[in-house]
Amino acid sequence: MIEARRLHILRAVADHGTVTAAAAALYLTPSAVSQQLTALEQETGHRLVERGAKGVRLTAAGEILLGHTHTILAQLERAEAELAAYETGSAGTVTVAAFATGIVQVLAPALTRLAVMAPGIRVRVQDAEGDASLPMVLDRQVDIAVAVEYRGAPAADDPRLTHVPLYAEPFDAVVPVTHRLADADEVPLAELAKDAWIGPYPGNPCHDVVVLACENAGFQPRLEHSSDDFRAVVALASVDAGVALVPRSALRGMDLAGVVVRPVDGVAPTRRVFAAVRRGAEGHPLIRPVLEALGRAAGE
């Protein structure tokens, strides 16, 4: 008989690529993870992982079991959801990881709605970028992620997750008031090819959006300054340190003295925001109202 907790460990090892990283995500010791993998191999009668200098990888048998693991764990999530609904489902805590602008845009308004519609649900919020929040969901550190599409992110049809689209927003060009394009109605990105750029660090989903937009315009941006805080990005642009692309919602309420904000000429770069939960958990009586509140907040 295969134990479900060992399937959790197998998936964590597959996701993280090393026993040490999987152990850290699961709050276990590396030796405990190794012992559980060995026990799982004994239960199945197959070698499931191969260890190398750069980490571990699944064998063919391990890949087969991993495919079934996604289905099994999703079904267990559904079972927990139905049992919770049977119990009462009226009170409990849901933990949500979201990036800063997502908190302002949809999560905070959703909390206001939940306080009226589902007062028994307590939501705990953790500030996390989109590339960090999805692994947190998969590692069961949080229940819901408010995340952004980015290169390398789990696809919408990933068997481990259920995606709920929330909203999409364009990036606007931010240039100093002294910039040669400050008076333009729209800014062609190709005209900024020789400028210094200010943008998020690699790994931040918005970094991918900026770089891809510039690549589509025919150039690689010369990133002179890096910050994941868009207030800092705008502040640097205001002192003529460079130009930037910033999500429109991030500019709301910001001090824009010293800069000009213009839409991008042509097809604007866009970030798409969604909520994600472990597949099968979307019907949980505590999680479902939070997802519904996020969706309504996004539609307002």
Side-chain angles (χ1 to χ4, degrees):
M1 181 71 69
I2 297 174
E3 292 193 19
R5 63 192 177 97
R6 291 175 181 150
L7 296 179
H8 280 294
I9 290 173
L10 178 70
R11 186 158 81 176
V13 169
D15 286 343
H16 292 280
T18 69
V19 168
T20 300
L26 296 172
Y27 300 102
L28 297 172
T29 64
S31 62
V33 169
S34 294
Q35 290 170 6
Q36 292 300 318
L37 286 175
T38 299
L40 184 59
E41 289 179 330
Q42 292 173 346
E43 287 174 344
T44 61
H46 292 278
R47 187 178 181 184
L48 302 175
V49 297
E50 292 181 345
R51 293 168 174 80
K54 295 184 179 180
V56 297
R57 68 178 186 85
L58 299 190
T59 63
E63 292 287 354
I64 291 172
L65 183 58
L66 180 65
H68 289 286
T69 292
H70 297 324
T71 302
I72 292 167
L73 295 184
Q75 190 60 43
L76 287 174
E77 293 281 359
R78 294 186 186 98
E80 290 179 3
E82 290 187 18
L83 287 171
Y86 176 78
E87 185 66 25
T88 59
S90 60
T93 300
V94 176
T95 304
V96 183
F99 59 100
T101 310
I103 293 173
V104 174
Q105 188 82 353
V106 291
L107 186 49
L111 295 185
T112 301
R113 183 183 298 275
L114 284 168
V116 177
M117 304 303 297
I121 298 178
R122 175 172 175 256
V123 178
R124 294 177 60 243
V125 178
Q126 297 186 25
D127 189 335
E129 292 297 338
D131 57 325
S133 61
L134 294 177
M136 291 169 73
V137 168
L138 291 171
D139 292 335
R140 304 180 71 86
Q141 296 173 8
V142 300
D143 301 302
I144 301 173
V146 176
V148 179
E149 291 181 3
Y150 60 95
R151 287 188 283 193
D157 60 353
D158 189 293
R160 302 168 297 173
L161 295 168
T162 293
H163 284 216
V164 179
L166 294 178
Y167 65 94
E169 65 171 328
F171 282 58
D172 288 325
V174 177
V175 302
V177 292
T178 56
H179 195 274
R180 63 189 181 280
L181 296 177
D183 293 329
D185 292 332
E186 296 181 331
V187 173
L189 284 186
E191 295 296 320
L192 302 177
K194 295 183 178 180
D195 286 82
W197 279 74
I198 312 158
Y201 284 100
N204 185 315
C206 289
H207 174 89
D208 287 346
V209 175
V210 171
V211 171
L212 184 59
C214 292
E215 288 176 351
N216 289 339
F219 68 98
Q220 285 283 340
R222 179 165 54 88
L223 285 164
E224 292 283 346
H225 312 284
S226 297
S227 175
D228 288 334
D229 187 333
F230 286 116
R231 291 171 301 179
V233 170
V234 171
L236 288 169
S238 72
V239 295
D240 206 17
V243 299
L245 288 173
V246 177
R248 187 167 292 172
S249 65
L251 295 167
R252 292 174 186 162
M254 194 181 294
D255 181 5
L256 299 176
V259 299
V260 172
V261 178
R262 294 288 184 264
V264 173
D265 184 30
V267 180
T270 302
R271 70 172 174 182
R272 291 172 175 80
V273 180
F274 61 93
V277 299
R278 293 180 296 277
R279 190 173 293 272
E282 62 274 10
H284 193 288
L286 296 179
I287 292 176
R288 185 179 63 251
V290 179
L291 291 175
E292 291 174 352
L294 287 169
R296 290 175 181 173
E300 292 177 347

